[in-house]
Amino acid sequence: MATRIVIAEDEALIRLDLKETLEAEGYEVVGAVGRGDEAVELVNELHPDLAILDIKMPGMDGLEAAREIAMPRKAAVRILTAFSQRDLIEQARDAGAFYYLVKPFQTSDLVPAIEVALGRFADMRAMEAEVEGTKERLETQRIVGRAKGLLMDRDGMSESEAFSFIQRTAMQHRAKMRTVAQQIIDGTLPTEG
């Protein structure tokens, strides 16, 4: 499946040339607009893999559009602009852009820039998912541990009996152990039976 791209470039000729170049390289350009706010709308609607944004555009500049797209991790963002001032590069980085390419560009620069941006974006998403999974596991362990303690204190179960009870009840109800443990804590699950 081809990488799906949204382009936001206010100069129509550059936008068309970029679109043709990307398509010739095997990318699928799903949208090409001249305004940053329209780019954000397209990203929200079409869910592309990458948004290529110019900095200076009407409606919403590329840096603000980058923040709207990159911070909630909707798509990888690459800035393509005629401006190479260090402060703009830093602003682009802080807005969440994964790559900054200065016009005029060569196709030999464009493809690696896209692939690096996509790779870094994928790494970032994977890392965030891993962190979220770790948080979820720790919270589950905390809730199950609390429920085990309640069963031990209230019903005189050993730790292994309490754990087995939670596990067995979860299987019987086709529920997650965390859900059963929370019901024990809330007092909504009877421990008799």
Side-chain angles (χ1 to χ4, degrees):
M1 195 160 102
T3 298
R4 302 173 74 243
I5 299 175
V6 165
I7 300 168
E9 165 62 60
D10 64 333
E11 294 184 45
L13 191 58
I14 294 173
R15 187 170 59 237
L16 181 60
D17 182 48
L18 182 57
K19 182 179 186 295
E20 289 174 357
T21 301
L22 290 169
E23 289 174 343
E25 291 294 324
Y27 297 105
E28 179 184 357
V29 177
V30 295
V33 295
R35 298 171 52 101
D37 52 348
E38 292 173 352
V40 172
E41 288 174 19
L42 278 180
V43 167
N44 288 334
E45 180 184 327
L46 301 173
H47 310 288
D49 302 301
L50 176 70
I52 298 176
L53 309 172
D54 189 8
I55 287 184
K56 304 289 185 187
M57 289 184 290
M60 176 187 287
D61 72 22
L63 295 174
E64 182 61 30
R67 277 187 282 281
E68 295 279 327
I69 294 167
M71 292 311 179
R73 304 282 182 250
K74 295 177 183 174
V77 173
R78 214 204 68 219
I79 300 292
L80 176 63
T81 185
F83 304 98
S84 61
Q85 293 95 333
R86 186 162 187 80
D87 67 316
L88 286 177
I89 295 168
E90 290 171 359
Q91 288 177 47
R93 178 202 61 212
D94 294 344
F98 285 105
Y99 210 94
Y100 192 100
L101 191 60
V102 179
K103 295 183 272 189
F105 62 89
Q106 302 294 319
T107 303
S108 60
D109 296 328
L110 186 62
V111 173
I114 289 171
E115 295 305 319
V116 166
L118 290 170
R120 291 178 70 199
F121 183 70
D123 290 347
M124 181 70 72
R125 272 190 158 169
M127 186 171 50
E128 287 173 345
E130 188 176 323
V131 166
E132 195 56 42
T134 300
K135 285 181 187 176
E136 182 71 23
R137 284 189 299 279
L138 288 172
E139 183 62 13
T140 296
Q141 287 176 351
R142 185 186 70 76
I143 291 170
V144 169
R146 196 165 154 215
K148 282 191 317 186
L150 259 170
L151 291 171
M152 291 164 61
D153 291 344
R154 186 181 67 202
D155 299 337
M157 293 182 185
S158 70
E159 184 176 0
S160 64
E161 289 171 332
F163 183 81
S164 292
F165 174 81
I166 294 168
Q167 190 176 42
R168 189 174 54 254
T169 305
M171 287 189 294
Q172 288 170 349
H173 292 95
R174 291 192 169 108
K176 293 183 177 185
M177 286 182 61
R178 178 177 174 165
T179 303
V180 170
Q182 189 62 56
Q183 290 173 338
I184 292 168
I185 293 166
D186 296 341
T188 60
L189 179 77
T191 57
E192 302 289 323

